[in-house]
Amino acid sequence: MWLLVGGIFALAIGMRYRVGGDWSSYLAYLDRAAIMSLPEVLASDDPGYYLLNWLVFQLGGNIYWVNLICGMIVMSGVVVFARRQPLPWLALLVAVPYLIVVVAMGYSRQATALGFVLLGLVSLSKGEIRWFAIWVLLGATFHKSAVLVLPVAALAASQNWLWTFLWVGVTTLIGGYLFLFDSADRLWENYVEADYQSQGGLIRVLMNAVPATLFLVLRKYLCQGGEECKLWWWLSILAIVCIPLVIMSSTATDRVALYLIPLQMYVFSRLHKVSHDALVRTYIVTAVVAYYALVLFVWLMFASHAYVWLPYRLVWLL
């Protein structure tokens, strides 16, 4: 069933036609990759995404192949992460309004990076720090901002913290050198000095801050301690810190805050644990479902760029 549902979502992401705010930009990526040599692809800013486009072009494919593969990566991360939660189907539902509909169908590169980060968070929750670093670095080949997630492993380490801090720090520096530092000036100019404003950025940051606050207040009910609890404690702190930061640079903070969306899936799929009463638990789960139904409705009806997503169109129905 999970394979079927994940596959349906991946098809919805991959086979959409002119849906999403960056549709034209990603067509341009494919056009650029088509005229690049393999060494040029590997030396590009986002080598993973360029390599995917280059391979698709070599095989005679098109943008739908690229989007479908990206959708499969995103949904692999969502499904694997959701299945580790107490109410996995509720965790999946929480991911639908923004992570799947908006991010996966609008920001293909960063959505793919987020898919890898989700796989990394699952590894980190099991104490597999090296695999966490590998997944995050893979994500950084699609969108370099994923490198910023690497220090989370050091913060979450409850044992051998010095060794973890050292090797995660070195890995972060290497990843930053390969994917981020060379374009740091351009990113600072585009996102901070230019004072770009991401419409709705504060609202989306607050959507992470709500589960973050709930976790900080109710963490004794939501986790059992250890590295996993420490991981989500730090992610909650980062989600709260994003509130003042989004005022200074809404676009930059909004994009970084995308990697904190898993916090919503984690907290709301286990919020029912605060009570042992079956009826109260039912009310809590129903409230979560209603909340995210409202989120999707409000975004589709009132978001300034929702028209780019509406109506949803499948390529084979044209």
Side-chain angles (χ1 to χ4, degrees), residues 43-231:
S44 62
D45 283 346
D46 300 298
Y49 189 70
Y50 270 108
L51 179 61
L52 174 59
N53 280 267
W54 185 82
L55 290 173
V56 165
F57 178 79
Q58 300 302 316
L59 295 173
N62 51 37
I63 190 62
Y64 305 105
W65 290 32
V66 176
N67 288 343
L68 180 59
I69 294 172
C70 289
M72 292 169 64
I73 296 172
V74 174
M75 289 312 303
S76 294
V78 169
V79 168
V80 171
F81 184 87
R83 293 189 67 183
R84 284 189 58 84
Q85 309 313 315
L87 295 178
W89 292 106
L90 185 61
L92 175 62
L93 181 143
V94 169
V96 170
Y98 196 71
L99 195 161
I100 295 177
V101 172
V102 180
V103 179
M105 295 188 187
Y107 319 133
S108 296
R109 293 184 300 127
Q110 194 161 8
T112 307
L114 180 55
F116 283 117
V117 169
L118 282 165
L119 293 172
L121 289 174
V122 172
S123 296
L124 190 57
S125 67
K126 296 188 292 186
E128 299 171 351
I129 298 177
R130 290 180 180 83
W131 272 107
F132 169 77
I134 291 171
W135 288 124
V136 171
L137 289 175
L138 282 173
T141 67
F142 282 78
H143 199 283
K144 56 179 66 69
S145 61
V147 168
L148 300 174
V149 183
L150 277 174
V152 172
L155 295 174
S158 59
Q159 297 178 348
N160 298 323
W161 65 268
L162 180 58
W163 166 245
T164 301
F165 178 82
L166 287 173
W167 82 261
V168 170
V170 171
T171 304
T172 303
L173 289 173
I174 294 174
Y177 175 77
L178 293 175
F179 304 118
L180 193 60
F181 295 162
D182 61 335
S183 55
D185 291 340
R186 176 168 52 84
L187 293 173
W188 180 266
E189 179 181 351
N190 288 342
Y191 286 135
V192 180
E193 291 182 356
D195 194 27
Y196 285 0
Q197 295 298 309
S198 181
Q199 295 186 5
L202 178 59
I203 295 175
R204 290 187 287 273
V205 166
L206 290 175
M207 285 181 63
N208 289 333
V210 170
T213 302
L214 289 172
F215 181 83
L216 293 174
V217 174
L218 304 170
R219 62 183 180 275
K220 67 178 182 179
Y221 300 103
L222 303 181
C223 66
Q224 303 301 317
E227 290 187 2
E228 182 176 10
C229 197
K230 196 172 183 180
L231 162 65

Side-chain angles (χ1 to χ4, degrees), residues 9 12-13 16 19-23 26 74 94-112 114 198-200 204 207 254-255 258 261 292 295-301 303-310 312:
F9 274 112
I13 295 168
R16 69 191 191 278
V19 173
D22 291 341
W23 178 266
Y26 290 117
V74 174
V94 169
V96 170
Y98 196 71
L99 195 161
I100 295 177
V101 172
V102 180
V103 179
M105 295 188 187
Y107 319 133
S108 296
R109 293 184 300 127
Q110 194 161 8
T112 307
L114 180 55
S198 181
Q199 295 186 5
R204 290 187 287 273
M207 285 181 63
D254 188 22
R255 288 303 179 96
L258 293 180
I261 292 177
Y292 277 94
V295 168
L296 183 58
F297 174 80
V298 170
W299 189 87
L300 290 174
M301 293 297 103
S304 58
H305 292 96
Y307 70 91
V308 186
W309 276 257
L310 297 171
Y312 176 85

Side-chain angles (χ1 to χ4, degrees), residues 235-313:
L235 289 177
S236 297
I237 294 296
L238 293 174
I240 300 297
V241 170
C242 283
I243 297 176
L245 292 179
V246 77
I247 299 173
M248 293 184 290
S249 179
S250 63
T251 298
T253 306
D254 188 22
R255 288 303 179 96
V256 172
L258 293 180
Y259 297 112
L260 299 176
I261 292 177
L263 189 62
Q264 300 179 37
M265 299 173 64
Y266 181 87
V267 172
F268 285 120
S269 65
R270 60 188 65 220
L271 190 59
H272 64 285
K273 288 188 170 186
V274 300
S275 174
H276 295 292
D277 184 273
L279 185 59
V280 174
R281 288 187 169 206
T282 302
Y283 286 147
I284 292 173
V285 171
T286 303
V288 172
V289 173
Y291 170 65
Y292 277 94
L294 181 63
V295 168
L296 183 58
F297 174 80
V298 170
W299 189 87
L300 290 174
M301 293 297 103
F302 302 107
S304 58
H305 292 96
Y307 70 91
V308 186
W309 276 257
L310 297 171
Y312 176 85
R313 296 175 293 272

